[in-house]
């Protein structure tokens, strides 16, 4: 079976490389994914997906139906890219494809889309349903696109995923979670502008001193300099800070602890009031849908002994693609994945498997190795068949 997958994958090499380059060459900031979504949907249709759908928020959904429909595997990659503020046009140097989102995670998106095609071209029968989704608005830290998929789109299609695989960069390792971030707005207000400015300065210095502390090379705290929105009705200062969180239920505790620490820091300034809350903002999708977004990336971890991980490791080993398990480190503020949403909120066992290196994400010179994209097609297809495919041991070529 794996030799068949390898041979068919070689036949798809040129196509997936061209598709990856097309994706990387198409700008797709959060809520500006419309053009890229058109290309993903068109490619799914060309590859022969049984059903291709665009939902109200702009997600693209491709479905390959199996024979029994008794289990569903969700492959998900996001279309939007982090904006570095520097030009990063698509270009190729050797095996590397450079451009915004190359590693995070357009290489993974290309691999997942073509993994479905590889299974169909190899004529390997599926027991369950394969759902490949390209979601919007993941880089805003709220996984808004995935929430719409889970709350609205997939239920309307009669689909409930049993497992999920994210195409985020794992260097073709099997990843099963990460810590989280909470972004906070610290509002300082008072009648005396000097006391407000002094309090804002003290708070900023306290957070800035903590940014130098790192856990395994990854910073735990981030802080932006205070801004002063207006002078009327007293003085107001606003700081935006972020802290790493290690548990899914830790966000509210971090808010309370931060507010208590600030109160102790400025307790003798009776004319100054401070409030700490989760950063919120209104965002508008590429389809015009409006929503309020909270800037919290929750921690998550699938049990490393979960059958999903065990089966995936066994399949990759049998396929000649042994894979190291691990977790994302999220070295930069704003990083995250939809795993927290899928696992914590919808109880769907989730792993990550994709080409690209996490260290390349959110960099102005981001790149992905084209050979890893091709290998990602093969590995993803192998895992998918291992989870929702019929066993083929002992079958003849005529039967498949």
């Amino acid at each position: 079976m794996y030799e068949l997958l390898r041979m068919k994958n070689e036949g798809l090499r040129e196509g997936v490389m061209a598709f990856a380059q097309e994706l990387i060459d198409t700008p797709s900031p959060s809520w500006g994914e419309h053009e890229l979504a058109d290309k993903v949907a068109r490619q799914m249709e060309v590859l022969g997906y049984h059903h291709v759908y665009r939902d109200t928020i702009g997600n693209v959904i491709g479905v390959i139906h199996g024979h029994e429909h008794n289990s569903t595997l969700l492959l998900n990659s996001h279309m939007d890219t982090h904006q570095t503020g520097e030009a990063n046009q698509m270009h190729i140097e050797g095996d590397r494809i450079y451009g915004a989102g190359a590693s995070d995670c357009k290489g993974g998106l290309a691999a997942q889309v073509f993994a479905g095609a590889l299974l169909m071209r190899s004529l390997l029968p599926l027991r369950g349903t394969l759902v490949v989704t390209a979601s919007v608005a993941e880089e805003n830290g709220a996984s808004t696109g995935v929430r719409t998929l889970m709350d609205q789109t997939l239920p309307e299609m009669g689909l409930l995923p049993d497992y999920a695989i994210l195409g985020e960069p794992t260097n073709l390792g099997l990843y099963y979670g990460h810590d989280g971030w909470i972004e906070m707005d610290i509002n300082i207000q008072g009648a005396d502008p000097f006391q407000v400015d002094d309090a804002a300065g003290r708070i900023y210095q306290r957070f800035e001193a903590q940014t130098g502390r790192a856990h395994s090379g990854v910073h735990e705290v981030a802080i932006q300099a205070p801004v002063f929105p207006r002078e009327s009705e007293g003085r107001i200062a606003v700081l935006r800070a972020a802290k790493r969180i290690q548990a899914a239920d830790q966000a509210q505790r971090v808010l309370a602890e931060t507010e208590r620490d600030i109160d102790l820091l400025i307790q003798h300034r009776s004319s100054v009031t401070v409030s700490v809350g989760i950063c919120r903002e209104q965002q508008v999708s590429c389809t015009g849908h409006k929503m309020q977004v909270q800037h919290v990336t929750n921690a998550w971890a699938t049990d490393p002994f979960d059958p999903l991980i065990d089966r995936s490791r066994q399949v990759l080993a049998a396929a000649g693609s042994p894979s190291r398990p691990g977790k994302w480190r999220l070295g930069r503020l704003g990083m995250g994945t939809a795993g927290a949403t899928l696992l914590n909120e919808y109880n769907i066992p989730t792993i990550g498997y994709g080409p690209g290196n996490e260290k390349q994400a959110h960099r102005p010179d981001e790149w992905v190795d084209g050979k890893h994209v091709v290998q990602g097609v093969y590995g993803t297809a192998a895992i998918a068949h291992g989870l929702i495919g019929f066993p083929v041991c002992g079958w003849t070529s005529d039967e498949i």
Side-chain angles (χ1 to χ4, degrees):
M1 182 189 86
Y2 299 119
E3 185 59 32
L4 176 63
L5 278 176
R6 271 192 288 266
M7 289 190 300
K8 293 295 185 180
N9 193 39
E10 281 301 309
L12 292 173
R13 176 184 292 271
E14 185 175 334
V16 71
M17 288 291 287
F19 184 50
Q21 293 169 30
E22 183 180 22
L23 295 180
I24 296 167
D25 196 38
T26 304
S28 56
S30 293
W31 299 129
E33 306 95 341
H34 186 77
E35 182 181 357
L36 190 74
D38 288 341
K39 295 179 178 181
V40 173
R42 184 167 59 248
Q43 184 67 74
M44 287 179 171
E45 291 168 351
V46 169
L47 291 173
Y49 276 67
H50 298 155
H51 183 72
V52 180
Y53 181 71
R54 298 274 291 276
D55 68 11
T56 57
I57 206 172
N59 297 314
V60 182
I61 303 94
V63 181
I64 299 174
H65 294 292
H67 291 275
E68 296 181 356
H69 311 290
N70 60 350
S71 58
T72 298
L73 172 63
L74 173 67
L75 305 183
N76 174 256
S77 296
H78 60 88
M79 293 184 287
D80 59 327
T81 61
H82 177 76
Q83 303 305 297
T84 63
E86 301 182 37
N88 189 14
Q89 294 183 334
M90 195 282 293
H91 63 282
I92 301 171
E93 296 181 13
D95 293 323
R96 296 180 177 181
I97 310 173
Y98 285 82
S103 185
D104 182 22
C105 63
K106 291 182 176 181
L109 174 56
Q112 289 193 336
V113 169
F114 269 75
L118 177 57
L119 289 169
M120 290 188 288
R121 299 286 174 88
S122 301
L123 301 179
L124 293 174
L126 294 181
R127 181 183 68 254
T129 302
L130 181 66
V131 181
V132 182
T133 57
S135 56
V136 300
E138 190 276 338
E139 290 289 5
N140 66 4
S143 296
T144 310
V146 168
R147 283 194 172 89
T148 301
L149 281 172
M150 297 304 303
D151 287 337
Q152 178 181 327
T153 308
L154 296 184
E156 289 177 354
M157 300 173 71
L159 298 171
L160 177 63
D162 298 281
Y163 318 100
I165 302 175
L166 304 177
E168 299 277 5
T170 68
N171 212 21
L172 298 181
L174 281 175
Y175 282 16
Y176 55 90
H178 57 65
D179 291 344
W181 286 98
I182 176 173
E183 293 185 55
M184 302 170 287
D185 279 337
I186 303 171
N187 295 278
I188 309 158
Q189 187 170 1
D192 187 334
F194 297 104
Q195 288 199 4
V196 171
D197 292 0
D198 182 60
R202 284 176 174 266
I203 296 168
Y204 178 75
Q205 289 172 7
R206 174 65 63 85
F207 273 87
E208 192 177 41
Q210 295 174 349
T211 60
R213 304 176 190 174
H215 173 66
S216 301
V218 179
H219 289 301
E220 304 296 310
V221 178
I223 184 70
Q224 296 178 5
V227 296
F228 303 93
R230 66 178 188 272
E231 294 289 346
S232 60
E233 300 179 2
R235 181 72 156 168
I236 297 175
V238 179
L239 296 91
R240 181 158 295 179
K243 284 190 175 183
R244 184 174 290 271
I245 52 179
Q246 282 80 39
D249 60 350
Q250 197 177 357
Q252 292 302 321
R253 293 203 306 270
V254 169
L255 286 175
E257 291 168 1
T258 301
E259 194 162 55
R260 182 195 63 212
D261 292 345
I262 290 174
D263 285 342
L264 292 173
L265 184 66
I266 63 169
Q267 59 183 340
H268 63 284
R269 289 163 176 79
S270 58
S271 65
V272 174
T273 59
V274 177
S275 62
V276 181
I278 297 174
C279 174
R280 291 176 170 84
E281 63 175 315
Q282 188 178 68
Q283 297 184 354
V284 182
S285 75
C286 56
T287 60
H289 185 75
K290 295 181 180 180
M291 67 212 71
Q292 194 79 8
V293 173
Q294 290 191 109
H295 286 230
V296 178
T297 301
N298 281 314
W300 67 280
T302 296
D303 186 336
F305 297 102
D306 187 278
L308 168 63
I309 299 178
D310 279 346
R311 182 60 178 156
S312 298
R313 291 178 66 181
Q314 292 167 5
V315 167
L316 289 174
S321 300
S323 180
R324 178 184 61 84
K327 299 176 74 172
W328 288 280
R329 300 179 68 191
L330 302 188
R332 297 182 182 87
L333 176 62
M335 284 184 168
T337 71
T341 300
L342 291 168
L343 181 64
N344 297 342
E345 299 180 27
Y346 299 97
N347 200 32
I348 298 173
T350 302
I351 57 173
Y353 177 80
N357 192 315
E358 179 190 358
K359 293 180 180 178
Q360 287 297 318
H362 297 195
R363 292 176 60 93
D365 57 349
E366 186 175 350
W367 58 268
V368 67
D369 190 322
K371 292 185 296 185
H372 279 200
V373 175
V374 176
Q375 182 67 19
V377 176
Y378 171 70
T380 303
I383 296 172
H385 192 269
L387 293 171
I388 61 170
F390 283 111
V392 296
C393 181
W395 290 22
T396 69
S397 58
D398 290 337
E399 290 173 312
I400 63 173

